[in-house]
Amino acid sequence: MAFAKPKHSKGEINRAGDVLICPSSTDEEINNALEILNQWRACHAYPINTFQATLRARLKKTNTNSLVAQRLKRTPSVVRKLQLSNRMALSRMQDIGGLRAVLDTITDVNTLKDEYTQKNKLEHELIKTNDYIINPKDSGYRSLHLIFKYKNSRNPIYDGLLVELQIRTKLQHAWATAVETIGTYLDKPLKSSQGPQSWLDFFKIVSAAFSIIENTPINSELSHLSNEEILELATNKATDLNVIKTLLSFTIATDSIETKNASGNYHIIKLNSENMKVEVTSFGQRRLAEATEAYLKIEQNIASSPHLQVVLVATESIDSLKKAYPSYFLNTEEFCKAIITIYKMLNQINAAKLSALKRQLRMKKRKK
């Protein structure tokens, strides 16, 4: 397989990033900057490919029901991140190349975390750990992020590239997926905490409810509330926003998914949220360069169409693709199931309180 190799200096890469967020940049400058970004982004395919091989091997020992996927960061996401942080340099962006492991339980997450932090025998240097499970983001986002500086003595040309490994539970994955899906539906970047406050508040409180389910720390802003108060708030907001009906109403139908060249490891997913259609184009392992070129061209073509989204990812199969990136299929079934679980938990609490009250009344009658 022919992987792209770094050919631009850090200065050239950073200047390209500056051009992409400068309002006065010309079309020619932007196109040149996009070419540099795409080449720089493509270089991360080799490190994340070797990382995922090790990740899958480790997961086979501890968790056979896991999901692994890898992706190259979308251009709009790169630009938005540069815009949000004036001090961010494109060459130092930590998640240009990313992998994700989705596991069943918190125990599974911690076991895999130990594999990479306490028992790490990789050459790569673990330079940063962001544990958003122990310390959830203000938005409610929960996941474990491990940032590595790549090192390979057999192929040092990629040394120094940064790779982000995200480890999360299926419940945390369902939450993040729902945020992206509603963001697509509203055409608002909820993922970046921008959009209707009612939805931002809903996802924040639901994250706290999910923390209760998984017995993990609750967002500090809500930690003063009791479990019952959190569950009640979550169900009230879900009812007010008619969440389940809203989410299920725009799930992409199976016959609206067009698949081209279904056999392959690399997949370009293009979502049209206006006509509710998804197009998946797959490429074999030897066609990665072709896939990255096609990815950039599509990004350029749809730049002015907010209802169109595209991403280049790698998974073992189309089935695992839908599970790893359900937001591109507007699929929030797992999230809706979890919301129903919250309703049931609150009902159980209320039933227990009612039962206790009835016992107290019976006791009083007996005393009389």
Side-chain angles (χ1 to χ4, degrees):
M1 187 192 309
F3 288 98
K5 298 179 180 179
K7 66 178 184 180
H8 297 287
S9 68
K10 288 186 177 181
E12 290 175 313
I13 295 166
N14 291 336
R15 284 191 291 274
D18 293 338
V19 167
L20 291 174
I21 61 174
C22 178
S24 60
S25 297
T26 65
D27 289 345
E28 182 179 359
E29 289 173 330
I30 291 174
N31 287 334
N32 289 336
L34 286 173
E35 291 289 347
I36 292 173
L37 167 59
N38 190 51
Q39 204 283 330
W40 170 243
R41 179 173 62 181
C43 292
H44 291 73
Y46 182 88
I48 62 176
N49 188 62
T50 55
F51 248 88
Q52 64 87 20
T54 303
L55 175 60
R56 291 182 191 280
R58 291 187 172 190
L59 284 172
K60 283 183 180 179
K61 300 177 183 177
T62 58
N63 191 301
T64 56
N65 194 32
S66 58
L67 180 66
V68 174
Q70 61 194 65
R71 65 98 181 96
L72 297 176
K73 197 172 184 71
R74 300 169 57 236
T75 295
S77 299
V78 171
V79 173
R80 189 180 300 119
K81 195 165 186 176
L82 290 171
Q83 290 171 332
L84 291 173
S85 178
N86 294 328
R87 294 180 294 178
M88 171 72 70
L90 179 55
S91 67
R92 297 199 303 271
M93 193 171 287
Q94 298 174 345
D95 58 346
I96 293 289
L99 299 95
R100 179 179 297 156
V102 181
L103 311 177
D104 285 333
T105 67
I106 289 294
T107 300
D108 295 330
V109 169
N110 290 332
T111 299
L112 186 60
K113 175 186 178 181
D114 290 344
E115 285 285 328
Y116 277 93
T117 57
Q118 298 180 15
K119 306 172 185 178
N120 184 25
K121 297 179 181 178
L122 299 174
E123 289 185 81
H124 323 297
E125 178 187 357
L126 177 61
I127 62 170
K128 192 174 184 181
T129 299
N130 293 322
D131 195 335
Y132 299 121
I133 298 176
I134 298 298
N135 298 295
K137 286 189 175 183
D138 291 340
S139 64
Y141 176 82
R142 298 185 304 138
S143 182
L144 173 67
H145 294 191
L146 303 177
I147 315 299
F148 291 89
K149 182 179 289 187
Y150 187 79
K151 184 178 180 182
N152 188 336
S153 57
R154 292 175 296 178
N155 201 355
I157 192 172
Y158 297 100
D159 285 2
L161 293 185
L162 300 178
V163 175
E164 180 184 77
L165 171 59
Q166 295 181 5
I167 308 173
R168 59 175 63 159
T169 65
K170 289 180 178 178
L171 189 58
Q172 293 159 6
H173 188 51
W175 182 93
T177 293
V179 170
E180 293 186 22
T181 303
I182 288 292
T184 297
Y185 174 69
L186 298 173
D187 192 22
K188 298 291 183 181
L190 294 184
K191 187 177 178 181
S192 301
S193 296
Q194 299 176 43
Q197 194 61 47
S198 57
W199 280 102
L200 294 174
D201 290 343
F202 165 72
F203 281 114
K204 183 183 297 186
I205 194 69
V206 166
S207 172
F210 286 2
S211 291
I212 293 171
I213 293 173
E214 295 189 316
N215 194 28
T216 60
I218 292 169
N219 183 314
S220 59
E221 183 182 334
L222 302 170
S223 59
H224 66 286
L225 299 175
S226 68
N227 287 359
E228 183 181 351
E229 288 172 326
I230 288 173
L231 295 174
E232 187 170 5
L233 269 176
T235 55
N236 288 342
K237 289 186 179 296
T239 300
D240 292 342
L241 292 169
N242 204 6
V243 169
I244 294 178
K245 185 177 180 180
T246 299
L247 287 170
L248 294 180
S249 68
F250 56 84
T251 299
I252 298 292
T254 302
D255 58 5
S256 295
I257 301 173
E258 181 182 354
T259 303
K260 299 179 179 179
N261 306 322
S263 60
N265 300 85
Y266 296 97
H267 314 278
I268 293 178
I269 315 173
K270 185 166 72 172
L271 165 66
N272 187 327
S273 58
E274 189 173 61
N275 63 15
M276 306 291 280
K277 291 186 180 296
V278 172
E279 180 182 296
V280 179
T281 305
S282 301
F283 299 81
Q285 284 190 334
R286 297 183 181 277
R287 299 175 62 202
L288 176 58
E290 183 182 345
T292 54
E293 283 297 321
Y295 184 25
L296 177 61
K297 287 181 181 178
I298 296 173
E299 284 187 318
Q300 290 173 311
N301 290 336
I302 69 172
S304 59
S305 304
H307 60 279
L308 295 175
Q309 296 183 46
V310 65
V311 68
L312 173 62
V313 301
T315 60
E316 287 185 305
S317 65
I318 292 292
D319 183 57
S320 60
L321 174 69
K322 294 176 183 178
K323 294 176 181 177
Y325 296 93
S327 58
Y328 278 85
F329 300 88
L330 302 184
N331 187 341
T332 54
E333 183 179 351
E334 294 303 317
F335 180 79
C336 290
K337 288 179 181 177
I339 294 297
I340 292 172
T341 297
I342 293 174
Y343 276 102
K344 289 180 178 178
M345 290 173 67
L346 185 60
N347 286 339
Q348 288 173 354
I349 291 174
N350 289 333
K353 289 169 65 176
L354 180 60
S355 178
L357 181 59
K358 288 180 177 179
R359 284 197 299 271
Q360 290 176 4
L361 290 173
R362 286 196 296 268
M363 294 288 288
K364 286 182 179 180
K365 287 182 179 180
R366 288 173 184 171
K367 288 180 179 179
K368 290 181 179 179

